[in-house]
Amino acid sequence: MMHDDGALAILLYDGAYARAHYAFVMAAGALAIDRPVIMFAAGRGVHALARDWSGLHDAGDDALVRARGVAGMDTLRDAVIELDATLMACEAALKLCDLPAGRLLPGVQVAGVPAFLEAARGRQIITL
C-alpha cells in the first residue's frame, strides 16, 4: 500500500536529546502540513516517549533550547500528541532500558519491529 498523502514514519533509535528533539520537530512540522506521522522509538530512544524524558542523554540541553526561543521537548511532544501522531515504543527496547510501559506517555503503543514495519509500509522513513 503506497501513501500518496506524504505520510512519514520516524524511527528514533538513539537516546540523545538532540536526536529526540529533532524527531519531534520533524513530526510536528509534518503534522502541521497534514502529513500523517508514525514515530517508533527503539533502543534508548524509548526514553523520549516516557512521561519523564530525563533518561535521554543531555536532557538538560532543553533549558538552553527554550532559552533561545526554540520549542522545548514538552511543547513539541504535546503538539505531536494533539496533532494525532501515532506513537510506538519498541517492546524489546523497553525491556533493555528497564522502562515499564506504565511510565510511557498516554496512548503510546508498545509494539515490535514487525508491527512498526507493517504500519510504515509505503511511508517515507526518516531515521534519527
Side-chain angles (χ1 to χ4, degrees), residues 44-56 74 77 81 87 89 93-110:
R44 296 187 61 86
V46 295
H47 290 287
L49 297 182
R51 286 188 191 118
D52 174 9
W53 48 267
S54 66
L56 292 171
D74 289 327
R77 291 186 339 156
I81 291 167
L87 302 177
L94 291 174
K95 291 176 183 177
L96 289 171
C97 292
D98 196 26
L99 182 62
R103 290 180 42 201
L104 296 174
L105 292 168
V108 173
Q109 302 169 25
V110 176

Side-chain angles (χ1 to χ4, degrees), residues 22-100:
Y22 201 69
F24 280 98
V25 166
M26 292 295 293
L31 290 161
I33 60 169
D34 295 322
R35 291 181 71 174
V37 172
I38 294 171
M39 184 184 295
F40 184 72
R44 296 187 61 86
V46 295
H47 290 287
L49 297 182
R51 286 188 191 118
D52 174 9
W53 48 267
S54 66
L56 292 171
H57 293 300
D58 299 322
D61 288 355
D62 194 64
L64 178 60
V65 166
R66 289 181 285 114
R68 298 234 170 122
V70 176
M73 191 68 122
D74 289 327
T75 300
L76 290 168
R77 291 186 339 156
D78 288 347
V80 165
I81 291 167
E82 184 177 318
L83 293 169
D84 210 24
T86 299
L87 302 177
M88 303 170 82
C90 177
E91 182 176 22
L94 291 174
K95 291 176 183 177
L96 289 171
C97 292
D98 196 26
L99 182 62

